C-alpha cells in the first residue's frame, strides 16, 4: 500500500501520532505537505466542495480511502501495521484509549490557548496561567494516573499504537512542562518505562535520529512557556 500522510509542515502536531506508527512499522509513506506542491494539494483537498473532504489534518490517503481524525487513522492502520489486535473487542479497547489521549492532547494545547486558537498567546497570558495551574495540579496527574493504571494492569500486552502515542505524550509534556513532569514521573514509572521501551525500538530510533523528526517549537500543540510551568 502506498500511504500518503497529509499534515502541516514544520510541527509534530497530531501528524506525529500517525508518523510514529508508520515509522515503527518501517512502512514507506509520503509526508505529502512537506513539499510546496504537496502543501497546496493538501489545502485544495480540504477546500473542494465534496461531502467527504476532511475538516482538518492529519489525514491519510490509502488507495481509494481518504481517512481523517488521528484516532480513526490509527484505528485503520493498527491491524495492518501489526500494532493492534484484529479482534473487535481488542480494537475498540485501543480506540477508546486513543480517543482519551486525544482529549488529553486538547487539554495540553488549551493550557497556552485557553480563550481560543485565534488569539495570540500574549493576549491570553493571564487566563493561560490560571489554566496551567489547574492543568498541572489536577488534570495532568489525573490523565497520567489513568494511563499508569492501564499499563500496570496489562504489563505483557502486545505492543500497540497506544504505546507509541503514550511515548509521544511524554515527549511533549516533558518539553512543555519540564518542572511538573520531573515531579510526576517519579510516581508514574510504567509510563516512563513504556517511553524508554519505545525509544529502543529500531524503527523509532532511526526515525528520531533522522531529519524527518521535527523539533518541538512554539507553533506546535505542546509549547514551552516557562511561566506556565512554575508555581509562581
Ligand atoms: N480531532 C482531530 C483534530 C484535528 C485538528 O484539530 N487539526 C489541527 C492541526 S493539529 C488543525 O489543522 N485544525 C484546524 C482547525 O481546527 O480549523 C484529530 O484528532 O485529528
Amino acid at each position: 500500500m502506498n500511504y500518503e500522510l497529509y499534515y502541516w509542515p514544520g510541527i509534530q502536531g497530531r501528524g506525529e501520532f500517525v508518523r510514529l506508527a508508520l515509522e515503527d512499522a518501517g512502512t514507506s509513506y509520503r509526508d505529502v505537505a512537506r513539499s510546496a506542491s504537496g502543501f497546496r494539494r493538501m489545502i485544495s483537498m480540504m477546500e473542494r466542495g465534496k461531502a467527504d473532504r476532511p475538516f482538518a489534518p492529519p489525514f491519510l490517503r490509502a488507495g481509494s480511502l481518504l481517512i481523517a481524525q488521528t484516532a480513526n487513522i490509527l484505528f485503520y492502520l493498527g491491524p495492518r501495521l501489526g500494532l493492534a489486535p484484529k479482534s473487535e473487542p481488542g480494537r475498540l479497547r485501543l480506540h477508546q484509549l486513543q480517543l482519551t489521549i486525544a482529549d488529553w492532547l486538547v487539554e495540553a494545547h488549551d493550557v497556552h490557548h485557553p480563550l481560543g486558537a485565534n488569539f495570540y498567546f500574549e493576549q491570553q497570558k493571564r487566563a493561560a496561567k490560571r489554566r496551567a495551574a489547574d492543568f498541572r495540579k489536577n488534570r495532568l496527574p489525573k490523565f497520567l494516573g489513568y494511563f499508569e493504571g492501564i499499563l500496570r494492569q496489562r504489563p505483557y500486552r502486545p505492543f500497540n499504537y497506544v504505546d507509541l502515542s503514550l511515548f509521544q505524550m511524554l515527549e511533549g509534556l516533558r518539553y512543555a512542562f519540564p518542572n511538573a513532569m520531573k515531579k510526576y514521573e517519579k510516581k508514574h514509572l510504567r509510563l516512563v518505562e513504556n517511553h524508554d521501551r519505545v525509544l529502543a525500538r529500531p524503527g523509532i530510533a532511526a526515525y528520531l535520529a533522522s531529519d524527518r523528526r521535527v523539533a518541538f517549537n512554539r507553533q506546535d500543540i505542546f509549547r514551552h512557556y516557562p511561566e506556565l510551568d512554575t508555581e509562581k
Side-chain angles (χ1 to χ4, degrees), residues 7-8 14 55-58 69-70 221:
Y7 193 68
W8 303 116
R14 289 180 172 85
F55 177 78
Q69 291 284 349
T70 314
I221 297 175

Side-chain angles (χ1 to χ4, degrees), residues 2-32:
N2 287 324
Y3 292 119
E4 287 186 343
L5 173 64
Y6 292 80
Y7 193 68
W8 303 116
I11 60 169
Q12 295 181 20
R14 289 180 172 85
E16 201 66 8
F17 294 87
V18 180
R19 235 173 248 127
L20 286 173
L22 293 164
E23 295 278 354
D24 182 73
T27 312
S28 83
Y29 70 100
R30 282 209 311 128
D31 213 328
V32 179

Side-chain angles (χ1 to χ4, degrees), residues 128-178:
K129 281 189 183 170
R130 286 188 69 185
R131 183 73 185 255
D134 179 58
F135 181 75
R136 290 194 320 268
K137 182 163 181 278
N138 299 310
R139 302 299 291 174
L140 182 55
K142 185 166 182 179
F143 279 108
L144 286 170
Y146 175 74
F147 283 105
E148 178 75 10
I150 297 288
L151 295 184
R152 194 176 302 148
Q153 281 158 22
R154 303 199 50 223
Y156 304 115
R157 76 217 172 280
F159 187 79
N160 59 64
Y161 65 78
V162 166
D163 295 330
L164 290 170
S165 292
L166 289 174
F167 160 85
Q168 180 63 10
M169 289 305 295
L170 235 69
E171 286 275 292
L173 291 164
R174 280 177 178 178
Y175 165 74
F177 306 100

